[in-house]
Structures are given as C-alpha cells and as structure tokens.
Amino acid sequence: MKDVRILEIKESVFADNDQQADQLRAELKEKGVFLLNLMSSPGSGKTTTLTRTIETLRDTFKIGVMEADIDSDVDAHTIAKTGAKAIQLHTGGMCHLDAGMTRQGIEGLEVGDVELAILENVGNLVCPAEFDTGASKNAMILSVPEGHDKPLKYPLMFSICDVVLINKIDVMPYFDFNLEKCREYIAMRNPNAKVIPICAKTGEGMDEWTNWLKEQVQEWNA
Amino acid sequence: MKDVRILEIKESVFADNDQQADQLRAELKEKGVFLLNLMSSPGSGKTTTLTRTIETLRDTFKIGVMEADIDSDVDAHTIAKTGAKAIQLHTGGMCHLDAGMTRQGIEGLEVGDVELAILENVGNLVCPAEFDTGASKNAMILSVPEGHDKPLKYPLMFSICDVVLINKIDVMPYFDFNLEKCREYIAMRNPNAKVIPICAKTGEGMDEWTNWLKEQVQEWNA
C-alpha cells in the first residue's frame, strides 16, 4: 500500500477564526490554489465522490486532497490510488476544522503547484458548518438514505453551502426520499445553493458536478 | 397535529460534566427512571426505530421521549403520535447534549411516572460521544448505507455504547456492507458492545432489541 503521510493537527490558537479564514483565502488566491471544503454526514459517499471527481479532473488540474478524520487513514489511501497528492489529517477527536487547522493541512500538503485543493472535512452536519475554513467554495453531500428532511434539521450546514450534491440516487426506489421536497427545503435555507443529484458509484450526474467545479476553479484562477 | 412542547435548552454552566452526569443518574435511579441515550449519524433511522420500540413497549412501561435537534420539531410530532409523552429540545446550534442540558430536558418532560425515558441525541457521531448525559445506557444506530468502516473512523462513539443497532438491513443487497467486518471493527473498539442487526421499517430484529431494552429497564428498577 502506498505510504500516506498522516498529520496530527493541533487545536487553533486564534480567537478570530473569520479573520484567519479570510487571510488564508487571500493567500491561496495569491498562489492560484482553489480550496474546496467538502462536508457531509458520515457515510454519505464523500470519498467515492472525490475519487470520481479526481479521475475526471486530474488531466485538467493538479489536485491535492486533505482527508480529515478523527482516526484511521483508509480514506487517504483510497485517494492516493487515484494519483492525486493526498494527506491524512487527524483531528485528535475534534469534530471540525477551522481556518488555523486547515492552514496546517495546507502546509502539510505542500500545495506548491496544486491548482485544486480539496478538504474532506470530518463527517458531521453540525460543527463543520460553524467554522469558515478559508475555502473558496463550500460543498456538501446529502445521500438519499439520510432522508429529504435534513435541511430542516441542519439548517446552518445547508445555508453555508454553494452546492449540494444529492448522492446515491440509484437507491431512490428503496427509500422514501422526495427529491422535490428536498429541493424545496434546501431553497428555504439557501435559495442560491446549486443542487445536483448524483450517483458517485455509477457516475450519473457527475458531469454536471465536475463541470461546475471546473468553472469555479477557472474563475478563481482567472 | 397534536401540540408538542418545544424547550430551548441552554448551555451548561457546570465545569465538571462527569460529576453532573453521575448525580443525574443517581437521582433518576432513585425515581425509578431508566434513561436511554440514543445516538447516530443524521438519517440513520433513530425516529423510526424509536416509534417501533415504543409500539412494542408502551404496554409494559410508561415511556417519555426527548427529541433533541438543532432546529425543527418534526421528530417530536412523529413520536407524539405513538401516544408516548414527547418533548422537543432545541439545542440552539449545539452539537451534543451534556448532563446539564439533559437535566433541563428531564425537567421539561416532567418524568413523574415515566419508567423509560429516551433521549434522541443530535445526529452526530462525534460530539455526543464526548459527553456523559447521565443516561443509564448508551445506544447507537449505524445504518447499512453508511458503511461498515465507521467504527474505524468514529472510535469513541463505538467505545462508549452498550449496544449498537445495525439498521436498514433490508437494503443490504444494494450496498457494499460487510456485516462480519462491521462486527469485527466494533469489537476492536468495544468487545462488550452488543450488536443487533435490525430493520426498523419492516420490524426485523426488533424483538431482540426491545427484549434487551426491557431487561435493562427491569434490572435498573429491580
């Protein structure tokens, strides 16, 4: 198995996270690095979605991935197999990443020539939404088995995301998931959020998502 | 729709949560109230499992349910339909409940003659695991679509649970979920955890779970 670096990140010492986030975003912009913050519940398919995304975009951009987890390094190994630069961040029990912690990851990843950096945040719909990581854009995945009522229960997460991927649409027939209601609930929280139904496993809808992401990266570095 | 009380709970003022939890547990024991703390990811089926559980045990015990959510009151309404005493706790953005917050819920529920009180914690595999709520027992639900690797990624949650329900086993054919591997990973974290595969929707496995819970309540109040 290809060796993957594991970085134990430390709790931030900064009081003003918003300021730290703005500063990191400005520095990344300067360097030509687009940072995507990808969030979701545990098990919604972040890693599978990322794997597919990298396969589609790796000839267009130099990609680097930070896999944040409380423990384990299975995800970073999976991502490393795609050929992307990958690093595992261990949060030491912490439930989210803030800008200071993201900065440690960016330094550990040694972004250098990376054009698209992706942070796979800790699987959690609550805490990661409260901390600006310094990302250029926020994305989240809601998977069909979780139910269409999640925007009602985790309002902040949906309100801060630029794009919501509805994953695992292949199993829609086996769950009581109402896509129209889901779109309506997301719009209540965030009328500007783009909603893209996908199936990371089969590839359905992935073109719309990777095209959207490609445009964002190109605009950022224009 | 039956009116459900919504209680806005406040952040705890106590420094020593473990002590507060022990004290609450002792008081509940004194009153003959068994408190179950039910945790899981968003959308793993906590409310459906609870509904079935109440239907089975409502003739045996007087049941009260606290539904904790950041926002919305859909779950408390669903539970109230079963005839159980139900209250909605709003955490005001907080990602977990500690003992002080659980006490506010217990007081709001007015446990009086309740024998089995159930706290449906915030959907989150990280933070709720860090705070003893004062519960008699901790239970968690892992649903098949989330994947069998979750005990590797959220070790603390699995290590503090007395019982792990593996829910949505009806959709096992559509997901790459290895039940034996899952049992093995759970045992690595917590060799004493009882593992019960269930399908809250169809009722499969629910007898084993409700029998286990019944025994725990009876032992507690013996």
Side-chain angles (χ1 to χ4, degrees):
Chain A
M1 202 182 265
K2 192 178 161 188
D3 209 34
V4 165
R5 182 168 169 213
I6 297 176
L7 185 67
E8 309 288 339
I9 52 177
K10 290 168 194 70
E11 210 158 340
S12 291
V13 293
F14 306 107
D16 188 346
N17 184 61
D18 285 347
Q19 196 195 335
Q20 291 297 320
D22 284 341
Q23 197 178 318
L24 179 59
R25 198 159 23 240
E27 286 175 33
L28 290 174
K29 175 96 182 159
E30 186 86 5
K31 287 181 187 157
V33 180
F34 177 96
L35 173 61
L36 178 77
N37 176 24
L38 181 60
M39 295 170 286
S40 82
S41 292
S44 66
K46 284 192 293 303
T47 312
T48 309
T49 304
L50 269 190
T51 304
R52 279 261 181 188
T53 304
I54 293 166
E55 283 164 4
T56 307
L57 296 181
R58 66 185 161 197
D59 295 334
T60 312
F61 305 119
K62 170 96 177 167
I63 303 175
V65 177
M66 297 171 281
E67 287 289 330
D69 258 313
I70 292 182
D71 208 345
S72 99
D73 56 2
V74 287
D75 289 347
H77 280 287
T78 308
I79 294 296
K81 280 183 205 150
T82 64
K85 215 169 169 176
I87 184 174
Q88 181 77 49
L89 310 183
H90 277 181
T91 67
M94 278 177 292
C95 50
H96 66 275
L97 269 80
D98 62 16
M101 295 155 81
T102 305
R103 178 184 289 279
Q104 295 170 49
I106 289 280
E107 287 166 0
L109 189 63
E110 296 167 1
V111 283
D113 55 350
V114 166
E115 295 157 289
L116 167 58
I118 303 175
L119 169 64
E120 187 181 321
N121 215 313
V122 179
N124 183 336
L125 289 189
V126 188
C127 319
E130 293 167 23
F131 295 88
D132 187 344
T133 57
S136 317
K137 293 283 172 184
N138 289 323
M140 74 161 290
I141 301 178
L142 172 68
S143 63
V144 164
E146 294 170 62
H148 58 258
D149 61 347
K150 291 302 159 288
L152 300 179
K153 294 188 177 178
Y154 304 91
L156 186 62
M157 175 58 77
F158 288 84
S159 70
I160 60 143
C161 277
D162 300 287
V163 60
V164 178
L165 305 177
I166 314 268
N167 193 22
K168 308 191 186 178
I169 54 169
D170 59 323
V171 295
M172 199 95 79
Y174 314 112
F175 291 92
D176 307 319
F177 188 93
N178 187 324
L179 186 57
E180 281 323 298
K181 270 223 165 347
C182 191
R183 283 183 186 276
E184 191 184 300
Y185 293 156
I186 293 169
M188 275 165 58
R189 298 312 182 185
N190 184 357
N192 299 319
K194 189 169 175 64
V195 178
I196 309 178
I198 64 166
C199 176
K201 210 162 106 180
T202 63
E204 201 179 336
M206 289 299 288
D207 279 353
E208 188 180 352
W209 153 241
T210 51
N211 284 335
W212 180 87
L213 182 56
K214 196 170 145 182
E215 276 169 28
Q216 304 303 315
V217 180
Q218 286 167 340
E219 269 177 37
W220 183 257
N221 292 329
Chain B
M1 201 182 268
K2 191 178 160 187
D3 210 33
V4 165
R5 181 167 170 215
I6 297 177
L7 185 67
E8 309 288 338
I9 52 177
K10 290 168 194 70
E11 211 158 340
S12 291
V13 292
F14 305 108
D16 187 345
N17 184 62
D18 286 347
Q19 196 196 335
Q20 292 297 321
D22 285 340
Q23 196 179 318
L24 178 59
R25 198 158 23 238
E27 286 175 32
L28 291 173
K29 173 95 182 161
E30 185 87 4
K31 287 182 187 155
V33 179
F34 177 98
L35 174 60
L36 179 77
N37 176 24
L38 182 60
M39 296 171 284
S40 82
S41 292
S44 66
K46 285 192 293 303
T47 311
T48 309
T49 304
L50 268 190
T51 304
R52 279 261 180 188
T53 304
I54 293 165
E55 283 164 4
T56 306
L57 296 181
R58 66 185 161 198
D59 296 334
T60 313
F61 305 119
K62 172 96 177 166
I63 303 175
V65 177
M66 297 171 281
E67 288 288 331
D69 258 312
I70 292 180
D71 208 343
S72 98
D73 56 3
V74 287
D75 289 346
H77 280 287
T78 307
I79 295 297
K81 279 184 206 150
T82 65
K85 215 168 169 177
I87 184 173
Q88 181 76 49
L89 310 183
H90 277 180
T91 68
M94 278 177 292
C95 51
H96 66 275
L97 269 81
D98 62 15
M101 294 154 82
T102 305
R103 179 184 288 279
Q104 294 170 50
I106 289 280
E107 286 166 1
L109 189 62
E110 296 167 1
V111 283
D113 55 349
V114 166
E115 295 158 288
L116 168 57
I118 303 174
L119 170 65
E120 187 180 322
N121 216 312
V122 179
N124 183 336
L125 289 189
V126 188
C127 318
E130 293 168 22
F131 295 88
D132 188 344
T133 57
S136 317
K137 293 283 173 185
N138 289 322
M140 74 161 290
I141 302 178
L142 172 68
S143 64
V144 164
E146 294 171 62
H148 58 257
D149 61 347
K150 292 301 159 288
L152 301 178
K153 294 186 176 178
Y154 304 90
L156 186 63
M157 175 58 79
F158 287 85
S159 71
I160 61 142
C161 277
D162 300 286
V163 60
V164 178
L165 304 177
I166 314 268
N167 192 22
K168 306 191 187 178
I169 54 169
D170 60 321
V171 295
M172 198 94 80
Y174 313 112
F175 291 91
D176 307 320
F177 188 94
N178 186 324
L179 185 57
E180 282 322 298
K181 269 221 167 348
C182 191
R183 283 183 186 275
E184 191 184 302
Y185 293 156
I186 294 170
M188 276 165 59
R189 298 312 182 186
N190 184 356
N192 299 319
K194 189 169 175 64
V195 177
I196 309 177
I198 63 166
C199 175
K201 209 161 108 179
T202 63
E204 201 179 337
M206 289 298 287
D207 279 352
E208 188 180 352
W209 153 241
T210 51
N211 284 335
W212 180 87
L213 182 57
K214 197 171 144 181
E215 277 170 27
Q216 305 302 316
V217 180
Q218 285 168 339
E219 269 177 37
W220 183 258
N221 292 329

